Amino acid sequence: MRRAGVIAAAVSMERAAVASGMAPPSTALDPNKLKPYVDPLPLPAVMKSSGVRPDPEDATKQIPVYCVAMEEIHQRVHRDLPPTRMWGFNGTSPGPIFETRSGQGLMVEWTNHLPAKHFLPIDHTLCGAEKDQPEVRCVIHLHGGRTPAKSDGYPEDWVVPGKSFTYHYPNRQDAALLFYHDHTMGINRLNIYAGLQGLFFIRDEAEDALNLPKGKYEIPLMLCDRFLRSDGQLEYPVSGDEKKPWVPEVYSNVMLANGRLAPYLDVEPRKYRLRVMNGSNGRFFRLSFGDLLEMNIIGGDQGLLPAPVKAKRALLTPAERADIVFDFSQHAGEKIILKSDSFDIMQFRVSASKTTDDSSLPSTLRPVERIPEASAIKTRRLTLDETMNDVQESMGMMLNKTPWHAPVTEKPVINTTEIWELVNLTEDTHPIHLHMVRFQLLDRRRFDVFGFQDTGELRYTGRPISADPEEAAWKDTVRCEKGHVTRIIVPFAGYTGRYVWHCHLLEHEDNEMMRPYDVVEA
């Protein structure tokens, strides 16, 4: 019942967004008029290093260095459309995949080779996007990475075209699927919408020992939605006010898998491991195979679950990841569609020929020791807030009613644990992301929103709801449902310095639903 309620609420939010004037333009492409499943699913290339450099944390060691260019590209999303203008990394969007191992540090020189003028509509009233700022700016964040602050991609540490910056990623963390993306203050939503994101895999021995499907049987899938015009070009929706074009959410008319519209993938009748990431600005994906065929969810944001979770749907908010094993062995000769609600995303074409499957799906995967609440030295109560105008249109959202440039109020001490109570006072479900750390979801609990707004008193109206089984591992992004307090327990291990936490609905993040926090020495 609870999962159905989440799905219904998200669908309702999307319909409301269209009704409020964020529908696609009159020149919008109708994807139903294109023949589906005529293009193979693109599989991003693996990034190759260009040499080695001394490790910034240990000069006696050499670590690989990668050179990555952010550049304008023209990429075909469907056989029957002209190439689409995008921004990508080293010639593609999504960018090439980083492959590394736990404890194997690396460095990346990110170079901005983009044009001087943006091709999507900038709202100069937003913080960080004022008219005196360069139109095109970039900084890259490794989402989910335990990264030193100076390499984290702080939103104001951007560079302009012709400039570069070099970041160090130590990768001292468990095997997981991370992703890299633009994180520029005020235009982050535009830069990612244009295509600036890619996947980053960390491997380790514990994962290797499980003998999960690998090699050509492990498929990276970055999913996102975009508006396309009938000429195949990107369209970003605006409010209708030329001076304030920002809109609070974006839900688009075309579903893309690895940058392609309705692709297909030839598969063998055996187990496959699908590494799925939601790269949309605002859309929630509720993924299913065919007519609700059973899948096994084996991991999430920060790695493997304790055990596989059988499911017929997988809910992913923007920035969340799902590690899915799907067994095609009972579907030889069939064609199976990967869907999200009424949207068909891609087709799996299962070969009729016999094959050998020597991979495993163990009944236990990786121990995840639950953090006792008593270990937390502090509990912070933090609100998710929205300001509405007289006709109930969103004017923006904030965290704890605090704008971006206000003094830092969250200063956790390194190597201590805190509980954060995220009190959602808005009508939206928000995916909240904390940089640098991983955390565990304790519970969600319904409360009296209006009573809290009137008196500041938190009065619960329901029992605590524990994490769903697929949320029972380490996370870096958590779904905060409307009218609920979402509690997470966070060990602040890693590095000291300034980081940020924010909503990962990109339109919210770009309009100050983001705050800095400082990890400080004891």
Side-chain angles (χ1 to χ4, degrees), residues 4-255:
V6 171
I7 291 172
V11 170
S12 174
M13 188 170 72
E14 294 181 15
R15 289 173 178 166
V18 172
S20 66
M22 289 177 282
S26 59
T27 58
L29 172 75
D30 181 356
N32 295 315
K33 293 183 178 179
L34 294 173
K35 187 174 182 178
Y37 319 129
V38 295
D39 295 303
L41 175 76
L43 296 176
V46 175
M47 198 84 72
K48 297 185 182 300
S49 69
S50 57
V52 295
R53 291 187 188 177
D55 187 328
E57 297 180 354
D58 184 353
T60 66
K61 295 181 180 179
Q62 297 286 310
I63 59 175
V65 61
Y66 297 79
C67 297
V68 182
M70 296 168 273
E71 54 194 357
E72 185 163 290
I73 61 175
H74 290 80
Q75 181 169 292
R76 195 178 296 273
V77 302
H78 187 276
R79 180 195 68 184
D80 299 328
L81 291 175
T84 302
R85 181 187 189 183
M86 297 181 181
W87 288 357
F89 297 94
N90 286 2
T92 64
S93 176
I97 290 174
F98 283 89
E99 279 269 5
T100 189
R101 297 192 66 81
S102 179
Q104 171 61 67
L106 59 87
M107 299 179 72
V108 182
E109 182 180 6
W110 303 99
T111 304
N112 188 344
H113 286 316
L114 294 166
K117 185 172 179 59
H118 217 297
F119 73 103
L120 297 177
I122 297 175
D123 187 329
H124 294 294
T125 69
L126 299 184
C127 178
E130 296 83 1
K131 287 187 177 181
D132 61 352
Q133 301 293 337
E135 277 201 17
V136 175
R137 299 162 283 127
C138 291
V139 64
I140 301 301
H141 169 55
L142 177 59
H143 183 116
R146 182 176 291 178
T147 305
K150 63 183 178 181
S151 294
D152 186 60
Y154 194 71
E156 294 177 335
D157 289 347
W158 44 262
V159 298
V160 296
K163 301 294 184 180
S164 68
F165 53 95
T166 300
Y167 278 176
H168 172 224
Y169 303 114
N171 302 320
R172 287 195 285 271
Q173 55 194 103
D174 293 343
L177 171 59
L178 315 182
F179 67 104
Y180 60 97
H181 63 86
D182 178 79
H183 208 265
T184 305
M185 192 77 187
I187 56 172
N188 169 59
R189 72 198 187 287
L190 304 179
N191 289 353
I192 290 181
Y193 192 88
L196 291 179
Q197 52 186 345
L199 301 178
F200 191 110
F201 285 89
I202 298 178
R203 313 284 188 181
D204 67 14
E205 293 179 358
E207 179 190 50
D208 295 342
L210 297 174
N211 191 35
L212 296 165
K214 60 186 177 182
K216 67 178 182 178
Y217 305 112
E218 181 183 33
I219 307 299
L221 274 179
M222 178 177 282
L223 307 180
C224 65
D225 63 336
R226 296 289 185 265
F227 279 138
L228 289 180
R229 299 197 304 259
S230 54
D231 62 0
Q233 300 309 303
L234 283 174
E235 180 89 15
Y236 183 86
V238 294
S239 67
D241 183 342
E242 291 184 3
K243 294 182 179 180
K244 296 181 179 180
W246 176 84
V247 293
E249 283 102 20
V250 169
Y251 305 103
S252 306
N253 65 332
V254 170
M255 306 297 119

Side-chain angles (χ1 to χ4, degrees), residues 270-480:
R270 53 155 291 157
K271 293 187 293 296
Y272 277 73
R273 186 182 183 188
L274 307 176
R275 311 299 296 274
V276 188
M277 180 256 164
N278 184 348
S280 298
N281 281 39
R283 179 174 295 280
F284 292 20
F285 284 111
R286 291 156 288 269
L287 301 176
S288 62
F289 291 85
D291 187 18
L292 296 180
L293 300 171
E294 187 174 83
M295 69 182 90
N296 280 279
I297 302 175
I298 65 168
D301 298 344
Q302 284 285 309
L304 293 168
L305 291 164
V309 175
K310 294 185 183 300
K312 294 185 177 181
R313 282 195 177 93
L315 173 60
L316 285 181
T317 66
E320 285 190 302
R321 285 88 73 203
D323 195 344
I324 296 170
V325 172
F326 188 83
D327 192 345
F328 293 98
S329 63
Q330 301 302 309
H331 305 283
E334 297 180 19
K335 295 177 180 178
I336 296 175
I337 306 300
L338 178 66
K339 303 179 178 182
S340 177
D341 296 329
S342 60
F343 293 101
D344 293 349
I345 297 175
M346 63 173 291
Q347 180 191 71
F348 294 96
R349 298 177 177 176
V350 189
S351 168
S353 60
K354 293 183 178 180
T355 188
T356 300
D357 185 358
D358 57 3
S359 68
S360 303
L361 179 59
S363 58
T364 59
L365 296 167
R366 187 167 201 153
V368 179
E369 184 177 350
R370 301 303 297 178
I371 309 169
E373 291 189 36
S375 66
I377 67 166
K378 188 178 184 69
T379 296
R380 299 180 190 270
R381 181 167 293 169
L382 303 159
T383 58
L384 314 183
D385 309 283
E386 182 171 17
T387 302
M388 310 293 285
N389 64 13
D390 292 340
V391 292
Q392 293 302 294
E393 294 173 333
S394 177
M395 302 301 290
M397 301 175 201
M398 288 187 182
L399 300 172
N400 229 28
K401 296 183 179 179
T402 310
W404 167 254
H405 283 303
V408 174
T409 49
E410 287 68 60
K411 298 181 181 181
V413 176
I414 190 70
N415 296 324
T416 66
T417 297
E418 297 187 356
I419 292 173
W420 284 24
E421 298 178 342
L422 303 171
V423 182
N424 190 351
L425 301 171
T426 79
E427 287 298 309
D428 289 340
T429 295
H430 300 272
I432 297 295
H433 171 50
L434 278 66
H435 284 215
M436 200 275 287
V437 296
R438 63 180 187 172
F439 53 78
Q440 293 176 1
L441 171 60
L442 292 174
D443 52 42
R444 300 180 177 93
R445 194 171 185 181
R446 188 173 292 280
F447 72 103
D448 180 356
V449 174
F450 297 111
F452 184 89
Q453 290 171 327
D454 288 342
T455 67
E457 179 183 353
L458 186 60
R459 185 176 69 85
Y460 291 110
T461 58
R463 298 173 64 87
I465 305 168
S466 59
D468 289 336
E470 62 269 29
E471 298 177 300
W474 292 99
K475 292 188 64 61
D476 54 52
T477 306
V478 65
R479 188 181 73 244
C480 296

